[in-house]
Amino acid sequence: MRRKHRNEKPSAISVTSTKETHELTASRRRLFTLIMVLLPFLILIATELLLRYFQYGGNLDLVVKKRVSNKEYYALNRSVAKRYFAQSVSSVPEAIEDDLFEIKKSKTTKRIFCLGESTMAGFPYEYSATAPSFLHDRLTTLLPGYNIEVINVGLSAVGSFVVKDFIDELMSYEPDLFIVYVGHNEFYGAYGVASSVAIKGGPWLTRLTISLLKFKTFLMLRDAYASLQKKLTPEASKQNSSLMGEMVGKQYIPYNGEVYHEAREIYRENLAAIINEAQSHSIPIMFSTLVSNIRGQAPFQGIFAEGTSEAQRDRWQELIVAGDSSTAHNNLTEAIQSYTIATRIDTLNATAFYKLGLALYTTGRYDDAKIALIRAKDLDGLRFRATEEFQYELIDLCRSQGVPLARVDSAFEMNSPQHMIGTELILEHLHPNINGYFLMAKVFCQAIAQCNLLVQPTEWNWNLDKRDAEYMEMSTVTNFDREVGRIKVELLTKRWPFNTGQTPVEFTPTNATESIVFRYLQGKIVWSDARYSLADYQASNKNYEMARKECLAIAKVLHYSYQPLLRVADYYRTEGRNEEAKAAYLRCIDAEDNPYAHFKLAIILLEEERAAEAAREIEISFALENSGLYKLPPSAAASGRYLLGVSYAKLGRIPEAKRSLERALAINPNDNDAKQLLQQLGQ
């Protein structure tokens, strides 16, 4: 065998092979590295696609499509709050109504989105008893040439972060105006600085988190973390708590402290971002000033300043006890002196200022009383009401940016005793009563007109303007709405922070209306069925007008449905008011063409010996049934065929009358009236 000489060079083949091996190894290494880098992203993408395919968490878009009466609409997604709340609270708030609006917006449509917290939503009321609904009534009256859409996007327990997210999403739906009411929930609302639903790490991380909520993978991880956290959290503290209580993370927040200033700064930043988003899309936006109860709601928590010594606290407490004793004995001068000294000992404790304000109010020193009561509200350690500084931030920013501002606060003050807002317009700490929401809508409408936000000034038809009482009648608000609000507030104020005890929250109905409303609030019956039940109860007591009002309230919300208007007409018919009944049946048909209204209208026409018109109505009724959209029950179908036979007989159309009567007997062989008439016609 020939030995290779030590100086002999390797062959070309061996050199090439080694080089290729190195290149192949390097290529594989790069490929492996690329796969390792891309693998997490590929897993994330695959997971996201799978979660979307299986619809994890459901559809959490703000706007969805909904088919109603064979027509497709856009609608608010009542479950959208799950996007923000996960399992961190036991009662995730829902949008009160799934407001419908047209998918294809017409040239004459003006679309207004009303955004904000529970006050904009209308808590504790629903549907027609909210500010957006009252606003819709006014705008449809004063702008008859337009199709007005007022969509209520208000949601409980949210603040400016969520409003900004909603506005970003609503830009795709051709808005003509945004109306925003926000500011009370900047501490405890979703993503507020002291909320149980908060993101640690500053506002930039909160905004990033909100942007990631569009991804199912992120939602799954968020839900898993929330579920684990909930298991580790003691339930005892939550047992008697409302959503209002569950949203509180850090309870006591001193005025002008670090957390307070952080919330105020974030509020201004978010307001500026909301304005910028609207203006960058050339969409008009209007804000509302904030209102709360300063005269009828004591501070939830008075807290001492950090520098107040134990001796000063003891002295402060002695003065409060002395002031309370003087007040009880109607020695208000002495009470004012005691309370005033207490406010000087500790200038940050809300309790002394509130007591001082009430005493000053009682003695007629209204200017001083207002200053003290506002100070008490601002110093409240539990921050469920926005301070005046938050209000000033809103007003100042709107002025500097040229953004219209509806001065609801001024209107409420003008309509309150001595210009101090109390229980005349506010239910508890900050939610208006029905009159309050009605007033809000009036201010909104006036501001829209004055600022030329929807149409030109010449397009407003002020000759059609109504008195307030007429607008209230137009709203269809009834005692049902008032009872819903009253019971909700009663249940709310039995819980923390209004009631610090651990007594289980209970409500015992005392009459039929309360029973029906409470069953609805418990979720045992739906809203429309509750109102139908109340209407039937009223009709059973011959209160037909009240029964009709309940049905008209349903018809206003379910404007595409014939059913509530059919009941309205039936109640007129029961009363023997046939002219009103006929008009109501025609209105029912106009809302949704249906065989039942035609059939019942025909009965009245037959009684009036208008056989030709009656026959036409019954023919239409059966044509609608034959379309497959409706199904008359056998008894109604038999009666219809009999009455059609009667109509034909009166018109001298004997062969047709016989055929109709025979069809009636085929459906109901025991119909003696049909048998007798058929015999008379000479079978």
Side-chain angles (χ1 to χ4, degrees):
M1 178 182 292
R2 178 178 179 269
R3 291 185 178 183
K4 185 188 294 184
H5 191 274
R6 64 186 301 176
N7 293 324
E8 186 177 348
K9 294 181 179 180
S11 67
I13 293 175
S14 64
V15 171
T16 302
S17 175
T18 303
K19 183 178 180 181
E20 287 178 351
T21 301
H22 282 297
E23 288 178 352
L24 185 60
T25 303
S27 297
R28 286 178 176 176
R29 187 181 296 113
R30 285 194 297 270
L31 179 61
F32 181 75
T33 302
L34 180 62
I35 291 173
M36 291 300 293
V37 170
L38 292 179
L39 187 60
F41 296 100
L42 293 173
I43 293 173
L44 280 174
I45 292 170
T47 303
E48 180 68 21
L49 292 174
L50 280 172
L51 291 173
R52 288 179 183 271
Y53 178 79
F54 289 106
Q55 296 184 331
Y56 173 80
N59 187 343
L60 300 184
D61 292 338
L62 175 58
V63 177
V64 294
K65 288 184 178 179
K66 183 176 181 179
R67 181 167 291 277
V68 176
S69 297
N70 297 310
K71 183 176 179 180
E72 199 169 44
Y73 295 88
Y74 283 133
L76 294 183
N77 184 358
R78 297 190 68 174
S79 299
V80 69
K82 293 178 182 178
R83 184 198 298 180
Y84 307 102
F85 289 87
Q87 302 173 34
S88 51
V89 294
S90 59
S91 178
V92 176
E94 277 192 341
I96 288 179
E97 49 193 296
D98 53 358
D99 273 356
L100 304 179
F101 53 104
E102 298 284 347
I103 291 178
K104 187 175 181 180
K105 184 183 173 187
S106 69
K107 292 181 179 179
T108 58
T109 293
K110 293 296 180 182
R111 181 169 293 166
I112 303 168
F113 289 109
C114 297
L115 300 105
E117 50 206 38
S118 54
T119 298
M120 183 62 88
F123 181 88
Y125 307 106
E126 303 170 356
Y127 299 104
S128 299
T130 66
S133 182
F134 288 130
L135 175 63
H136 182 267
D137 293 339
R138 289 181 179 271
L139 293 178
T140 53
T141 299
L142 299 171
L143 298 172
Y146 288 93
N147 172 40
I148 303 296
E149 294 178 341
V150 181
I151 299 107
N152 187 352
V153 200
L155 188 64
S156 294
V158 302
S160 55
F161 277 116
V162 173
V163 170
K164 171 62 169 60
D165 196 38
F166 279 176
I167 281 185
D168 292 345
E169 204 164 331
L170 291 171
M171 288 299 174
S172 303
Y173 298 95
E174 303 178 84
D176 292 295
L177 175 64
F178 291 120
I179 303 176
V180 180
Y181 184 103
V182 67
H184 288 304
N185 288 345
E186 295 307 297
F187 292 92
Y188 304 131
Y191 305 113
V193 295
S195 173
S196 61
V197 184
I199 304 299
K200 307 301 182 184
W204 72 271
L205 189 57
T206 298
R207 295 185 181 102
L208 175 62
T209 299
I210 290 174
S211 66
L212 292 173
L213 291 173
K214 306 294 192 301
F215 297 97
K216 297 290 187 181
T217 308
F218 185 82
L219 283 173
M220 182 184 68
L221 294 172
R222 188 273 311 268
D223 291 348
Y225 174 77
S227 179
L228 178 62
Q229 188 181 47
K230 191 173 184 179
K231 289 179 181 178
L232 298 175
T233 301
E235 289 293 324
S237 62
K238 303 279 187 179
Q239 287 177 355
N240 198 37
S241 184
S242 62
L243 174 62
M244 181 179 175
E246 288 189 55
M247 292 301 296
V248 175
K250 177 180 174 59
Q251 282 195 10
Y252 304 139
I253 302 171
Y255 182 73
N256 272 336
E258 182 179 347
V259 176
Y260 176 88
H261 282 297
E262 182 185 359
R264 182 178 171 185
E265 182 178 348
I266 291 172
Y267 180 57
R268 187 177 181 92
E269 289 175 357
N270 285 345
L271 290 180
I274 290 168
I275 292 170
N276 180 67
E277 180 69 11
Q279 291 181 340
S280 66
H281 287 81
S282 301
I283 306 299
I285 186 168
M286 179 179 78
F287 283 83
S288 168
T289 50
L290 308 170
V291 293
S292 60
N293 184 354
I294 66 168
R295 184 166 46 82
Q297 177 63 57
F300 290 112
Q301 183 65 49
I303 54 178
F304 289 106
E306 287 186 8
T308 306
S309 66
E310 285 299 321
Q312 288 174 313
R313 295 185 185 200
D314 291 342
R315 176 57 179 154
W316 181 93
Q317 188 63 50
E318 291 173 1
L319 290 165
I320 295 299
V321 171
D324 291 349
S325 177
S326 298
T327 300
H329 291 87
N330 205 31
N331 296 324
L332 293 178
T333 301
E334 293 180 9
I336 290 171
Q337 290 176 348
S338 296
Y339 295 141
T340 300
I341 296 171
T343 62
R344 291 170 182 167
I345 290 175
D346 190 300
T347 60
L348 295 182
N349 195 304
T351 303
F353 282 96
Y354 182 72
K355 292 175 178 290
L356 173 61
L358 291 184
L360 290 168
Y361 182 88
T362 305
T363 59
R365 295 170 59 182
Y366 300 121
D367 291 341
D368 293 335
K370 187 173 184 179
I371 292 171
L373 292 173
I374 290 175
R375 182 70 174 168
K377 181 257 297 182
D378 287 353
L379 294 177
D380 192 346
L382 273 172
R383 303 214 160 270
F384 289 110
R385 294 176 289 179
T387 68
E388 294 302 291
E389 289 181 334
F390 278 69
Q391 185 92 291
Y392 295 152
E393 292 286 3
L394 172 64
I395 295 170
D396 179 66
L397 192 60
C398 286
R399 284 176 179 169
S400 65
Q401 297 294 321
V403 174
L405 189 64
R407 293 303 301 261
V408 172
D409 61 326
S410 299
F412 271 54
E413 288 179 355
M414 289 298 296
N415 287 272
S416 299
Q418 310 305 325
H419 299 174
M420 279 173 268
I421 301 174
T423 54
E424 294 79 15
L425 293 172
I426 303 285
L427 290 164
E428 9 75 334
H429 61 307
L430 56 77
H431 295 108
N433 57 25
I434 288 177
N435 290 334
Y437 282 125
F438 185 84
L439 180 57
M440 279 183 69
K442 186 176 183 179
V443 176
F444 288 170
C445 184
Q446 291 170 344
I448 290 170
Q450 291 167 2
C451 299
N452 302 326
L453 293 178
L454 277 183
V455 299
Q456 295 301 311
T458 54
E459 296 183 81
W460 291 85
N461 193 337
W462 294 104
N463 292 326
L464 298 176
D465 200 11
K466 303 176 183 290
R467 295 180 294 108
D468 283 351
E470 293 174 299
Y471 278 120
M472 185 60 80
E473 183 71 20
M474 181 180 177
S475 74
T476 70
V477 168
T478 72
N479 194 47
F480 178 90
D481 301 286
R482 296 183 178 88
E483 287 297 289
V484 165
R486 184 183 66 80
I487 294 173
K488 279 187 180 181
V489 169
E490 182 175 331
L491 292 172
L492 175 70
T493 53
K494 285 181 178 179
R495 295 183 171 96
W496 185 90
F498 300 93
N499 182 1
T500 57
Q502 293 298 315
T503 305
V505 176
E506 296 179 354
F507 178 83
T508 303
T510 59
N511 55 55
T513 301
E514 286 185 354
S515 296
I516 292 169
V517 170
F518 192 52
R519 286 183 66 213
Y520 161 62
L521 294 178
Q522 290 177 304
K524 294 181 178 179
I525 50 176
V526 299
W527 178 82
S528 56
D529 286 347
R531 300 199 83 141
Y532 283 139
S533 295
L534 185 55
D536 289 340
Y537 170 75
Q538 299 289 5
S540 69
N541 290 306
K542 301 190 183 304
N543 295 322
Y544 295 109
E545 189 63 27
M546 296 180 72
R548 280 189 291 270
K549 285 183 177 181
E550 293 301 328
C551 294
L552 288 172
I554 300 171
K556 187 176 182 183
V557 175
L558 307 180
H559 54 84
Y560 44 80
S561 174
Y562 72 88
Q563 296 183 41
L565 293 175
L566 186 67
R567 286 179 175 246
V568 170
D570 288 346
Y571 289 137
Y572 278 124
R573 175 81 171 127
T574 302
E575 277 192 285
R577 298 167 62 176
N578 284 354
E579 289 304 312
E580 290 99 326
K582 286 189 293 184
Y585 285 128
L586 290 172
R587 181 183 172 188
C588 173
I589 292 166
D590 187 56
E592 182 186 2
D593 205 0
N594 66 94
Y596 317 104
H598 285 288
F599 178 61
K600 293 184 176 187
L601 178 59
I603 295 174
I604 299 177
L605 293 171
L606 263 180
E607 291 174 353
E608 296 176 347
E609 298 297 330
R610 296 162 65 178
E613 295 172 70
R616 185 171 63 252
E617 294 297 330
I618 298 173
E619 288 166 351
I620 294 172
S621 179
F622 283 119
L624 287 168
E625 185 192 29
N626 291 335
S627 70
L629 297 176
Y630 304 93
K631 182 64 177 177
L632 288 169
S635 59
S639 298
R641 292 298 173 186
Y642 166 72
L643 292 174
L644 185 58
V646 172
S647 301
Y648 285 154
K650 287 180 178 290
L651 295 170
R653 298 162 60 178
I654 304 303
E656 293 170 283
K658 288 181 177 180
R659 286 195 294 272
S660 187
L661 293 168
E662 288 168 354
R663 294 186 68 176
L665 288 169
I667 299 170
N668 180 14
N670 298 318
D671 190 335
N672 293 324
D673 290 334
K675 288 179 182 178
Q676 291 176 8
L677 181 56
L678 195 57
Q679 290 173 354
Q680 292 173 12
L681 295 176
Q683 184 177 14

